[in-house]
Amino acid sequence: MQIDIEAHIKGLESGNRRMLARTITLIESVLPAHQQAARTIIDRLLPRTGKSVRLGITGVPGAGKSTFIESFGTMLTGMGHKVAVLAIDPSSTRSGGSILGDKTRMEKLSIDHNAFIRPSPSGGNLGGVARKTREVMLACEAAGFDVIIIETVGVGQSETTVASMVDFFMVLMIAGAGDELQGIKKGVLEVADTIVINKADGDNISRAEAAQKEYQAALHLLMPHSLNWNPPVLTCSSLRSTGLDTIWQTILDHKEKLTACGELEEKRKNQTQDWLTFLLNEGLREWFYQLDEVKSTLPQLRNELAEGTLSPTAAATELLHLLRRH
């Protein structure tokens, strides 16, 4: 079926959410014709991108990410912003399926005319980050969304990858769940622009304040990733919508400071270069494994490895020698 490129471009320029969803489907498709159409659309719309606040959010299990994003997103739309939520869902390693349940967890935000929620299966890529997330983010910006929230699952490699594609990276935590640094890794703390302790309400307020001091002390032990920003530790209640305005002001302060010194512009340029390197590595990897010589040689080499008659180094060298024929 012929893809109407102009219809997609006009639809995105007018902020048509249905056309945005169709464009994202093209971006995420593995069909060559869809990929080519998506590249053309994004290239044409590049001048309309880059003007949003790009926000990454992660958190430990039970931190209430969906509730937070719904409350926070609703506050932003009430202020006149257009909010896109790109929720990276964990894909099954067996079936390739994913839960894709964020729309059911964000009922209020999902029917908000100024919000757009797009669950995206990770495909097992980059530990939970959908491969096409950057292009999807650009499509949302082209459609007029000025706040892009990328939510990712777990705490690990996927989080540091998300941090490499956003302006501001937030780690959501909770107090009163045992060890106050539960489930969080040093690498995630090192890239955080703020730590937010959620569920600071009722009889949990004192525990949240105690955790706030503990996290702040932990951050002081780490080398800040920016010379122009010291990550604060904030508290909020998604349920009662308290502290959310302070979080938004912190994000705006971060943007103002890093823009003034040129760090934000440099950061985005570096992110673009990193994305090119990633795409090249991924493309070369796919091309390599699709070569007929590799397909025919690799199984035999794997057998020899299993039998102990060949070393991994020798096997890799033999496979890489095949590239010289191309």
Side-chain angles (χ1 to χ4, degrees):
M1 186 176 68
Q2 188 69 28
I3 300 169
D4 191 339
I5 301 292
E6 295 301 325
H8 278 268
I9 292 173
K10 290 179 181 177
L12 289 178
E13 288 178 338
S14 66
N16 187 308
R17 297 201 305 177
R18 182 172 296 181
M19 189 58 77
L20 174 58
R22 289 173 61 183
T23 302
I24 293 175
T25 299
L26 288 180
I27 291 171
E28 294 179 342
S29 173
V30 296
L31 297 178
H34 289 177
Q35 292 179 358
Q36 179 58 50
R39 283 194 294 269
T40 301
I41 293 166
I42 293 298
D43 285 347
R44 292 270 301 275
L45 290 170
L46 270 180
R48 292 178 58 89
T49 67
K51 300 176 180 66
S52 75
V53 173
R54 299 170 178 176
L55 172 62
I57 297 179
T58 189
V60 295
K65 288 197 300 291
S66 295
T67 306
F68 173 82
I69 292 172
E70 177 163 63
S71 297
F72 191 63
T74 301
M75 180 192 75
L76 292 176
T77 58
M79 296 166 63
H81 294 285
K82 293 188 67 178
V83 180
V85 180
L86 310 180
I88 312 301
D89 276 283
S91 292
S92 165
T93 55
R94 291 186 178 182
S95 66
S98 61
I99 302 168
L100 300 180
D102 281 277
K103 282 199 172 183
T104 61
R105 296 198 299 269
M106 304 180 194
E107 293 180 5
K108 186 177 179 181
L109 195 61
S110 65
I111 60 173
D112 191 319
H113 182 71
N114 288 317
F116 178 83
I117 301 175
R118 178 72 178 205
S120 180
S122 67
N125 190 277
L126 282 179
V129 181
R131 177 179 176 180
K132 301 294 187 178
T133 302
R134 293 179 192 250
E135 282 89 348
V136 172
M137 180 169 62
L138 293 176
C140 291
E141 289 180 342
F145 288 91
D146 62 331
V147 180
I148 312 293
I149 298 175
I150 302 178
E151 176 202 5
T152 182
V153 297
V155 176
Q157 183 187 1
S158 62
E159 279 59 45
T160 53
T161 305
V162 166
S164 74
M165 66 176 75
V166 297
D167 304 326
F168 190 95
F169 187 62
M170 179 192 306
V171 179
L172 209 61
M173 304 295 287
I174 48 175
D179 178 11
E180 297 305 348
L181 295 175
Q182 76 277 20
I184 192 166
K185 297 182 179 178
K186 181 182 176 184
V188 178
L189 279 177
E190 288 176 337
V191 296
D193 292 301
T194 187
I195 291 178
V196 175
I197 301 167
N198 194 18
K199 303 183 181 180
D201 47 44
D203 57 5
N204 204 40
I205 292 178
S206 58
R207 283 193 292 269
E209 291 173 348
Q212 182 180 26
K213 294 177 182 177
E214 191 165 343
Y215 287 126
Q216 196 70 68
L219 286 177
H220 284 156
L221 298 176
L222 301 174
M223 182 73 71
H225 63 276
S226 169
L227 296 176
N228 302 293
W229 182 257
N230 291 315
V233 181
L234 308 172
T235 63
C236 77
S237 169
S238 302
L239 201 60
R240 302 188 181 280
S241 297
T242 56
L244 301 181
D245 52 347
T246 302
I247 294 170
W248 177 239
Q249 188 57 52
T250 300
I251 294 168
L252 294 179
D253 290 345
H254 174 271
K255 180 180 181 180
E256 182 180 353
K257 285 187 178 180
L258 267 62
T259 299
C261 66
E263 185 177 334
L264 185 59
E265 182 182 4
E266 189 65 25
K267 183 177 184 177
R268 286 196 173 186
K269 286 181 179 178
N270 291 336
Q271 289 175 349
T272 302
Q273 296 295 331
D274 290 344
W275 185 231
L276 171 62
T277 301
F278 168 76
L279 290 176
L280 288 173
N281 290 338
E282 282 290 295
L284 287 170
R285 183 177 181 275
E286 289 182 7
W287 172 71
F288 175 77
Y289 282 108
Q290 291 302 314
L291 292 174
D292 290 337
E293 298 98 318
V294 173
K295 287 182 177 180
S296 60
T297 307
L298 186 56
Q300 177 59 36
L301 295 179
R302 289 192 184 280
N303 288 335
E304 293 180 34
L305 281 174
E307 293 168 359
T309 58
L310 185 70
S311 71
T313 301
T317 300
E318 184 173 339
L319 286 168
L320 292 173
H321 273 311
L322 297 176
L323 293 178
R324 294 182 178 178
R325 302 176 187 174
H326 296 271

